[in-house]
Amino acid sequence: AEKAKPKENVYIQYGNKEVDISDVLERAKGVYTGKPKSMKEIKVYVKPEEDTAYVVVNGEAVGSIEL
């Protein structure tokens, strides 16, 4: 029998906010304007003190999102 995979969530809490990292990642993917198949790697750098996440795709900075 297969084991059921537990639901996984990661949150960052700071100040009065709580941010779901899965949501941040999905929104970060939307910053990339290139062809979806050309995205080989995405990195998201979350900086709570700036209330911002910076998005790097294939080694190049492509933008940021507000948390």
Side-chain angles (χ1 to χ4, degrees):
E2 286 187 42
K3 278 190 170 182
K5 188 173 182 180
K7 184 174 180 180
E8 300 173 343
N9 295 88
V10 178
Y11 298 93
I12 293 178
Q13 294 180 328
Y14 62 100
N16 301 0
K17 288 191 167 191
E18 179 175 276
V19 179
D20 183 339
I21 292 302
S22 299
D23 178 55
V24 171
L25 181 57
E26 285 306 309
R27 290 178 42 219
K29 290 176 185 176
V31 171
Y32 184 58
T33 58
K35 294 181 181 179
K37 288 186 178 185
S38 67
M39 185 186 299
K40 304 293 183 213
E41 176 184 58
I42 184 169
K43 293 181 180 180
V44 180
Y45 296 89
V46 178
K47 296 195 74 175
E49 67 275 12
E50 295 178 15
D51 205 29
T52 304
Y54 296 93
V55 183
V56 176
V57 176
N58 301 337
E60 292 186 35
V62 295
S64 63
I65 58 172
E66 188 176 318
L67 298 177

